[in-house]
Amino acid sequence: MRRAIFPGSFDPLTNGHLDIIRRSSPLFDEIIIAVLNNPEKHPLFSVEERCELIRRILPEAKINDCTLVVDSFSGLTADFARQRGAAAIIRGIRAIGDYEYELRMALMNRRLQPEIETVFLTAAEEYSFVSSTLMKQVFDLGGRVDGLVPDFIIEKMREKIAANR
Ligand code: PNS
């Protein structure tokens, strides 16, 4: 059984994340989409809401026999990966600007858990500028994010932002 985790904030999941899940699914038997519980960062969606949104969207990402699981975690990604018996940590690289941060994390995670490899996948070009932070900012200011964030999640962002105003 080749198991990997795909950790992140996912606040919210974007089509860039879905693209990375699709690309990595032929490589593993099971991928755990691991949502970081980070209340101190004041996310738009609670960790429970983020997990639920991802569960609703995941059927769009399943393209083969890989089992996709959604779970949340607190603490170190490397510890969560070990506890769940994962062989790999998946991270997407959008552009060269991501590389330095991702390299530092990969090296630190390797130091913490030498048996677990970080696997980098390159994002589709059309999503190379997409981040959850940018999507939230643009949407909050009235810009369109269609095609970059799943429609169902855009609807939930609309509801959440209206409720917060
Ligand atoms: O979606 P993000 O915000 O780019 O994901 C970053 C994440 C969650 C992978 C990273 O912040 C992380 O691993 N946080 C958990 C705490 C941890 O393990 N920190 C040390 C990383 S070397």
Side-chain angles (χ1 to χ4, degrees), residues 7-9 36 75-77 91 101 105 108-109:
S9 303
L36 178 65
L76 290 171
T77 293
R91 292 291 290 170
Y101 169 64
M105 276 210 298
M108 191 65 217
N109 283 329

Side-chain angles (χ1 to χ4, degrees), residues 3-73:
R3 180 182 290 125
I5 68 163
F6 179 34
S9 303
F10 301 107
D11 186 42
L13 179 94
T14 67
N15 286 345
H17 292 126
L18 275 182
D19 175 60
I20 294 295
I21 295 168
R22 277 195 203 103
R23 286 174 196 281
S24 49
S25 61
L27 307 177
F28 298 99
D29 300 310
E30 181 180 298
I31 297 172
I32 302 170
I33 293 98
V35 181
L36 178 65
N37 188 4
N38 49 352
E40 67 287 348
K41 279 182 82 177
H42 303 295
L44 179 62
F45 293 102
S46 70
V47 69
E48 294 82 13
E49 289 171 329
R50 284 178 271 155
C51 288
E52 192 46 39
L53 291 177
I54 297 170
R55 287 193 188 101
R56 290 286 297 266
I57 296 300
L58 271 194
E60 293 178 22
K62 194 165 167 58
I63 50 168
N64 55 32
D65 289 338
C66 177
T67 302
L68 300 174
V69 177
V70 183
D71 206 350
S72 61
F73 74 104

Side-chain angles (χ1 to χ4, degrees), residues 52-123:
E52 192 46 39
L53 291 177
I54 297 170
R55 287 193 188 101
R56 290 286 297 266
I57 296 300
L58 271 194
E60 293 178 22
K62 194 165 167 58
I63 50 168
N64 55 32
D65 289 338
C66 177
T67 302
L68 300 174
V69 177
V70 183
D71 206 350
S72 61
F73 74 104
S74 303
L76 290 171
T77 293
D79 286 349
F80 181 75
R82 184 187 47 78
Q83 283 156 19
R84 300 302 294 265
I89 296 170
I90 298 166
R91 292 291 290 170
I93 301 255
R94 290 166 295 195
I96 193 71
D98 284 339
Y99 183 69
E100 196 178 330
Y101 169 64
E102 294 296 335
L103 179 65
R104 276 190 276 126
M105 276 210 298
L107 293 174
M108 191 65 217
N109 283 329
R110 178 187 283 163
R111 193 179 177 95
L112 294 166
Q113 294 295 341
E115 307 299 315
I116 300 175
E117 288 297 334
T118 295
V119 175
F120 292 130
L121 286 117
T122 45

